[in-house]
Amino acid sequence: MRNVIEAKNLSKVYRRGREEIYAIKEVDFSVSEGEFISIVGPSGSGKTALLNVLGCLDPPSGGSLRLNDIEISGLGERDLVKLRRDNIGFVFQQFHLMPALTALENIELPLLFSHRDGNKSRIDSILKRVGLGDRGNHLPGQLSGGEMQRVAIGRALINDPMIILADEPTGNLDSETSQIIFELFSDLNRQGMTLIVVTHDLDMARKAHKMYKLKDGRIVGCVQT
């Protein structure tokens, strides 16, 4: 299987006055097509910083990062936007749904920003794929937390990305709903989707193929689950 993400000696430094703070330090990391990866670690270990760099939301300070065989170093913002749009779907702890739009309209939203044509049958297919076939016309305020996260996952899927990056996707959900969301991730992975999920929940993290441990910006362990 080819690598869809390959990071070598990857670092991310934030500067506070004269002080340099390493959020990520000399990380070597690769993800093969179709893998399900979880990343765990204490607060401040660099999990979100790593995910943001891997997703081309934040530029690395050093090292090499290849996404779908494209080296991101030196790419301008327009090319980075296109690379993200064509390859990555994002899911966050906060659902970031538009409250005045229905579930169907929230899922459709990325198509409008990317100037792509959507069609009702495709959006209906996504709704069914995330288990919301009968909830498309409901507003976020009429949905449970788990249903809102399913809408967010559907929105991440609408551009047909190669990779889903999820940052604490069950952080605001109870344990039973968290289990349901991770089962959905597992189903998507069985359908061929590549997933990288940051989570504080070790039980959920062990559902992935590999579980990476981060500490002080470094990978300190990898467990085959």
Side-chain angles (χ1 to χ4, degrees):
M1 299 288 278
R2 73 185 184 93
N3 288 337
V4 292
I5 292 179
E6 190 164 6
K8 293 182 179 179
N9 207 33
L10 195 67
S11 295
K12 180 63 186 179
V13 181
Y14 296 102
R15 287 177 174 80
R16 186 169 57 197
R18 295 183 178 181
E19 184 182 10
E20 290 188 342
I21 301 169
Y22 276 84
I24 310 167
K25 193 166 187 179
E26 299 170 355
V27 164
D28 292 331
F29 181 82
S30 63
V31 180
S32 297
E33 190 173 15
E35 276 195 304
F36 184 1
I37 303 295
S38 62
I39 301 173
V40 300
S43 179
S45 61
K47 302 187 300 296
T48 294
L50 177 59
L51 209 66
N52 286 344
V53 171
L54 295 178
C56 302
L57 292 173
D58 207 2
S61 303
S64 169
L65 176 63
R66 296 183 67 83
L67 174 63
N68 196 16
D69 294 326
I70 298 171
E71 174 60 52
I72 73 159
S73 299
L75 292 182
E77 184 57 31
R78 181 175 295 182
D79 289 331
L80 286 172
V81 168
K82 185 177 186 303
L83 191 64
R84 286 194 300 267
R85 184 189 67 209
D86 293 346
N87 292 279
I88 300 174
F90 295 93
V91 180
F92 302 99
Q93 180 175 347
Q94 307 295 334
F95 314 125
H96 299 307
L97 302 182
M98 301 295 288
L101 300 182
T102 65
L104 186 152
E105 290 166 338
N106 268 286
I107 288 174
E108 185 183 25
L109 203 56
L111 295 176
L112 305 179
F113 288 119
S114 60
H115 307 292
R116 296 183 182 182
D117 291 329
N119 59 72
K120 189 173 185 303
S121 62
R122 167 149 175 75
I123 299 168
D124 285 344
S125 174
I126 294 288
L127 280 164
K128 290 176 184 175
R129 194 174 179 186
V130 298
L132 293 174
D134 60 346
R135 307 290 274 171
N137 292 321
H138 288 68
L139 295 170
Q142 299 170 312
L143 302 174
S144 69
E147 288 171 333
M148 285 192 283
Q149 191 60 289
R150 285 172 175 266
V151 174
I153 294 169
R155 182 183 56 197
L157 292 171
I158 194 65
N159 274 333
D160 197 23
M162 178 180 296
I163 306 159
I164 292 288
L165 301 182
D167 190 5
E168 296 284 5
T170 60
N172 288 331
L173 305 176
D174 60 50
S175 59
E176 182 177 352
T177 307
S178 297
Q179 178 78 23
I180 292 169
I181 293 299
F182 262 81
E183 285 302 322
L184 174 57
F185 283 141
S186 295
D187 287 343
L188 292 172
N189 179 247
R190 283 190 285 268
Q191 296 166 29
M193 181 67 64
T194 304
L195 293 110
I196 304 175
V197 180
V198 163
T199 181
H200 66 279
D201 189 327
L202 288 177
D203 288 337
M204 297 296 112
R206 293 188 182 102
K207 295 181 181 296
H209 298 150
K210 293 179 185 175
M211 181 176 67
Y212 285 90
K213 288 187 175 183
L214 251 64
K215 184 178 181 181
D216 298 328
R218 295 180 183 270
I219 291 176
V220 295
C222 176
V223 178
Q224 297 271 357
T225 57

